[in-house]
Amino acid sequence: MVLKKEFFELPTGVIYLDGNSLGPLPKAASARVAAMMQDEWGQMLIRGWNAAGWMDQPDRVGDRVGRLIGAPAGTVVMGDTLSVKVYQAVAAALNMVPDRRVILSDTGNFPTDLYMVQGLIDALDRGYELRLVAPEEVAEAMDDQVAVVLLTQVDYRTGRMHDMRQITERAHAAGAVMVWDLAHSAGAVPVDVAACGCAFAVGCTYKYLNGGPGAPAFIYARADLAERVEPVLAGWLGHDAPFAFDLDYRPAPGIGRMRVGTPPVIQMAALEAALDVWDAVDISELRAASVALQELFISEVEARAPELRLASPRDPNMRGSQVSFAFDEGYAAMQALIARGVIGDFRSPDIMRFGFTPLYLDADDVRAAVDHIEVVMRDRLWDDPVYKTRAAVT
Ligand SMILES: *Cc1c(COP(=O)(O)O)cnc(C)c1O
């Protein structure tokens, strides 16, 4: 049984289908953060770095996240945001293949990953090129020019899922270094980074891991690489001896070198509380429950709201933990749904996105959500100017 509704603060009257974008508040997080602020920050002041274990928190939490993605202890560290971790991983990966100049990614990748690579290419100014192909063409595009393959396993728009093992094998056969972005995978689908053999993996913790807005990202480096990786963002907390205050950088042993600066201690207290729920969850059971909810949702929507066109792969093995439907007035339709308490989101140009999170959603929630979708479509509730003005965050 993976349903853990009692663990979360869910507003009454809301069916939350957006945990793929921002997980809900775990009840324990409020108390944990309050205690951290009062007892640690408030009372210990700067002594908290040692006495409350703030300095080790990025490694300690990293190991807990690592267990959810198949990473051995000591290979994952927390910090910064995912955009920064993408930059760091790709930069480190490029240094491992000095004679090649192509970074390969796909057009389904989340734009910030591509923007970070574009910025890195400009900063390095060594003639690197970002090669973008359709997701289905990634394997064929791996030739002997490709230094690094950067892919997000689950497409943020459609939910389409790459086969990590197969693609990593193909990248290695082509002599490239593999970097996976697990933003929509961690806490959603079974992942085994060690078994897949990729060099690096990165991800965020505010989506399926419920760490809260601004929760830190994670970065994994394969155990055998940890001592050779050049961290690139050479911050003081990734130094071998930060409090020696040497004038020259010398990387810390192991994954600790991927730390940059002061960790977000308050935010990580919330994340630690959020991670407690995973101690009692079997991720393959969670996956099976997610697929069942998604299959129910698709069949109900297709039967009751035929105007919506499935934009996700029909084969559940090819999908992450979200289902997307295309509709020309998708933005307004989603606003109309949100007004009725069914919270999903919209991704340009016409994608209505629904995330499935079996920790706090069951089949009754799915059927109730489709009741609202049916009404919004049948009565054309989206056709109201009030729903058509776009907010900054969609
Ligand atoms: C959510 C997401 C991000 C967000 O990056 P931040 O730096 O945390 O804002 C990046 N990449 C992918 C693939 C994502 O899904």
Side-chain angles (χ1 to χ4, degrees):
M1 188 62 178
V2 293
L3 196 63
K4 302 264 183 295
K5 266 191 193 183
E6 71 286 357
F7 194 88
F8 295 95
E9 197 73 59
L10 293 161
T12 40
V14 163
I15 301 172
Y16 196 57
L17 302 178
D18 216 355
N20 53 311
S21 209
L22 176 70
L25 172 66
K27 286 180 184 160
S30 307
R32 189 79 64 95
V33 169
M36 182 273 150
M37 304 244 270
Q38 302 293 331
D39 306 342
E40 298 182 7
W41 183 14
Q43 296 303 312
M44 295 178 184
L45 296 161
I46 200 166
R47 293 169 293 184
W49 287 108
N50 293 319
W54 298 343
M55 197 44 93
D56 303 327
Q57 202 180 23
D59 305 287
R60 195 169 69 231
V61 178
D63 283 347
R64 294 186 74 185
V65 171
R67 280 201 293 279
L68 300 173
I69 59 165
T75 58
V76 174
V77 75
M78 310 304 297
D80 316 297
T81 78
L82 178 48
S83 304
V84 174
K85 284 337 207 187
V86 166
Y87 189 95
Q88 216 181 6
V90 173
L94 285 175
N95 285 339
M96 291 164 58
V97 208
D99 54 334
R100 296 189 180 193
R101 285 293 173 272
V102 172
I103 302 158
L104 176 67
S105 192
D106 72 34
T107 51
N109 206 344
F110 192 77
T112 199
D113 294 38
L114 306 178
Y115 303 159
M116 294 309 283
V117 168
Q118 288 161 9
L120 175 64
I121 288 174
D122 289 347
L124 291 174
D125 196 19
R126 288 187 218 140
Y128 286 113
E129 167 202 334
L130 174 59
R131 182 185 293 169
L132 280 182
V133 299
E136 308 74 43
E137 287 160 14
V138 165
E140 292 149 53
M142 292 182 202
D143 58 24
D144 61 8
Q145 311 283 301
V146 175
V148 174
V149 181
L150 167 68
L151 295 173
T152 298
Q153 187 195 11
V154 177
D155 186 307
Y156 74 104
R157 265 204 217 100
T158 63
R160 175 209 37 78
M161 187 159 64
H162 278 303
D163 183 328
M164 281 179 71
R165 224 164 160 151
Q166 219 175 336
I167 288 188
T168 304
E169 253 170 44
R170 180 74 190 79
H172 289 170
V177 178
M178 187 73 223
V179 180
W180 283 107
D181 187 327
L182 303 176
H184 294 274
S185 310
V189 296
V191 174
D192 194 335
V193 286
C196 105
C198 62
F200 299 99
V202 293
C204 52
T205 58
Y206 49 81
K207 292 173 179 163
Y208 293 95
L209 296 180
N210 313 311
F218 63 85
I219 185 164
Y220 158 84
R222 207 173 59 217
D224 63 295
L225 296 175
E227 301 303 324
R228 351 188 226 123
V229 167
E230 290 173 46
V232 183
L233 297 177
W236 74 304
L237 290 187
H239 192 280
D240 185 31
F243 288 87
F245 297 105
D246 288 344
L247 294 183
D248 293 310
Y249 183 76
R250 189 174 73 244
I255 192 69
R257 66 184 57 194
M258 301 307 253
R259 288 174 66 160
V260 181
T262 303
V265 177
I266 301 174
Q267 189 75 63
M268 232 163 343
L271 175 59
E272 283 198 284
L275 290 173
D276 287 348
V277 75
W278 297 99
D279 294 343
V281 172
D282 178 305
I283 206 99
S284 48
E285 269 180 52
L286 175 105
R287 169 66 177 164
S290 161
V291 167
L293 294 177
Q294 294 178 58
E295 293 292 282
L296 173 66
F297 183 73
I298 291 172
S299 66
E300 291 281 313
V301 170
E302 290 190 325
R304 293 155 67 189
E307 302 87 340
L308 303 184
R309 302 178 309 277
L310 183 66
S312 295
R314 194 166 287 281
D315 176 358
N317 298 315
M318 302 287 292
R319 259 192 340 254
S321 208
Q322 69 177 69
V323 173
S324 299
F325 280 95
F327 179 58
D328 288 347
E329 290 287 348
Y331 181 79
M334 185 53 79
Q335 294 309 303
L337 275 174
I338 293 171
R340 300 172 68 87
V342 177
I343 303 184
D345 62 20
F346 172 80
R347 288 294 175 263
S348 197
D350 60 356
I351 297 288
M352 298 171 72
R353 201 167 64 146
F354 303 92
F356 292 87
T357 48
L359 292 181
Y360 50 88
L361 282 176
D362 58 25
D364 290 340
D365 296 318
V366 169
R367 287 193 200 90
V370 182
D371 290 344
H372 288 288
I373 293 174
E374 183 177 6
V375 174
V376 165
M377 299 312 297
R378 187 194 63 208
D379 298 345
R380 295 173 62 93
L381 298 184
W382 49 266
D383 200 11
D384 181 329
V386 79
Y387 297 136
K388 296 192 180 182
T389 313
R390 291 206 189 181
V393 175
T394 63

